[in-house]
Amino acid sequence: VAAAAAQVSLSPAAVAARLEDLEWLVSSIDNAVDMAALGGLPVLTSLLAQARDASSGADADAATRESAVRGAAWTLGTAVRHHLPLQEAAAALGAVPLLLD
């Protein structure tokens, strides 16, 4: 799934909008578990890592990219909030340091 996601080209605004929808869906524990089973945790962690590694330029898309990063962080937090196995999986992927950066 992560490889397929890397091949899709969406604007930062489109990514932010999709993440907003996904965040609402993963507020249900069952949906959060399904999202993780489908490979969603590595994708969200990858979005956070890309944001950390990206330059902090002041271009026109910087605010939109920041919105996508916030969406990834919010979605990840919502997905793992009430489920210890998902919390452990996210931690194993290195999500905690990325969230603290």
Side-chain angles (χ1 to χ4, degrees):
V1 171
Q7 296 175 357
V8 175
S9 178
L10 294 174
S11 71
V15 171
R18 297 322 179 272
L19 287 168
E20 185 176 334
D21 294 340
L22 182 60
E23 190 275 330
W24 182 82
L25 290 169
V26 299
S27 64
S28 160
I29 292 174
D30 291 335
N31 289 343
V33 170
D34 289 344
M35 185 267 309
L38 292 170
L41 292 179
V43 173
L44 291 171
T45 303
S46 174
L47 284 170
L48 293 173
Q50 289 173 12
R52 182 195 63 189
D53 296 338
S55 65
S56 59
D59 60 25
D61 288 333
T64 308
R65 278 196 308 273
E66 181 64 28
S67 178
V69 171
R70 278 193 305 269
W74 194 270
T75 301
L76 183 63
T78 298
V80 305
R81 68 180 171 184
H82 297 299
H83 199 266
L84 183 59
L86 291 182
Q87 293 168 9
E88 292 169 342
L93 290 168
V96 174
L98 294 171
L99 289 167
L100 297 176
D101 271 352

